[in-house]
Amino acid sequence: MIAIENKLITRHLGSQPYQETWQAMKDFTEQRDQQSIDEIWFVEHPLVFTQGLAGKPEHLLANTEIPIVKSDRGGQITHHGPGQLIAYLLINIRRKTFNVRSLVSIIEQGIIDLLATHDVTAVAKADAPGVYVDGKKIASLGLKIRKGCSFHGLALNVDMDLSPFLQINPCGYAGLEMTQCRDLGITSSVAELAPLLIEKLNQKLQYTQIESFINDQ
């Protein structure tokens, strides 16, 4: 019998409103117990700015019609929109014997390894979580830990309108430029990159049984 810590469920949810997905993550985390299987949710969101617990209002640079949601994740302000691969990691890190820093490193390395398969060299920065290509940010991270379990996760820019990032200081960094897979010659879609990202993340997460569900929360 496979131990519970070695099982993972992935859910490919398509386009979902941010606040409803956030509430679903909170509910899942609140209700789970030691026998709950870890999950990773893949999703795209309609246009939204999300502001983390450390977020400062001055990092929104202009009046905007895009909704702004104050979230309980770590970090500052960022932007989500169609064409961005979002993965929410609902993982019992205590059971996996990870800490927050090691989970952040696993996420960053998974994205770096994913991009490397497309001949794109990316790096992480110790003082600025996320993944960068030639100084431009391609992926953002934000996590929340409750009862030894993580939620929220990562956002990888794939093929999206980057212009809303100009209305903010992304992740609190003035003048930080953003980039995306399409501009680096990667033509794969969000749906095509999701299973490859799971493969790369799992090189460190080390689940031995992974079940996938499409558009099923």
Side-chain angles (χ1 to χ4, degrees):
M1 181 178 293
I2 296 175
I4 197 76
E5 66 268 19
N6 293 322
K7 295 181 180 180
L8 175 70
I9 291 171
T10 67
R11 301 190 188 275
H12 301 261
L13 304 176
S15 180
Q16 300 287 338
Y18 178 81
Q19 286 188 282
E20 291 179 18
T21 309
W22 174 26
Q23 185 62 52
M25 284 192 287
K26 290 192 289 186
D27 291 346
F28 177 91
T29 303
E30 186 64 34
Q31 295 164 10
R32 68 180 300 169
D33 58 28
Q34 286 303 310
Q35 296 307 307
S36 299
I37 298 172
D38 291 339
E39 300 195 7
I40 295 179
W41 297 355
F42 289 105
V43 64
E44 293 178 72
H45 291 312
L47 295 177
V48 65
F49 290 120
T50 67
Q51 190 154 316
L53 289 172
K56 298 178 180 178
E58 59 264 31
H59 291 310
L60 179 66
L61 304 177
N63 292 328
T64 178
E65 296 181 357
I66 298 174
I68 305 165
V69 178
K70 292 185 177 180
S71 174
D72 60 351
R73 62 164 173 79
Q76 297 273 345
I77 192 167
T78 193
H79 167 63
H80 300 309
Q84 189 180 56
L85 173 57
I86 296 172
Y88 290 133
L89 286 81
L90 309 170
I91 294 175
N92 187 328
I93 63 171
R94 189 177 296 155
R95 188 170 64 195
K96 276 286 192 182
T97 66
F98 297 149
N99 58 32
V100 179
R101 180 63 248 180
S102 61
L103 182 57
V104 167
S105 296
I106 286 168
I107 294 170
E108 290 172 333
Q109 193 59 51
I111 297 167
I112 290 168
D113 291 346
L114 168 65
L115 295 172
T117 65
H118 293 84
D119 298 319
V120 171
T121 300
V123 299
K125 295 183 178 181
D127 60 340
V131 177
Y132 301 81
V133 178
D134 295 330
K136 299 179 180 181
K137 194 167 194 177
I138 192 169
S140 303
L141 276 69
L143 294 168
K144 176 76 172 178
I145 308 298
R146 180 164 173 75
K147 300 196 303 182
C149 299
S150 67
F151 59 108
H152 294 288
L154 68 95
L156 172 65
N157 304 332
V158 177
D159 186 1
M160 63 186 301
D161 177 8
L162 294 177
S163 63
F165 283 106
L166 299 175
Q167 300 178 41
I168 62 174
N169 289 329
C171 306
Y173 291 92
L176 177 62
E177 291 186 71
M178 306 297 289
T179 189
Q180 60 183 330
C181 294
R182 182 192 65 192
D183 296 340
L184 298 170
I186 300 173
T187 58
S188 301
S189 67
V190 167
E192 289 168 336
L193 289 174
L196 184 55
L197 179 58
I198 280 290
E199 177 188 320
K200 298 305 180 185
L201 290 172
N202 199 44
Q203 289 176 358
K204 298 288 195 301
L205 295 174
Q206 296 187 323
Y207 295 102
T208 56
Q209 178 180 301
I210 301 177
E211 267 192 290
S212 293
F213 297 90
I214 308 296
N215 294 325
D216 173 18
Q217 193 167 311

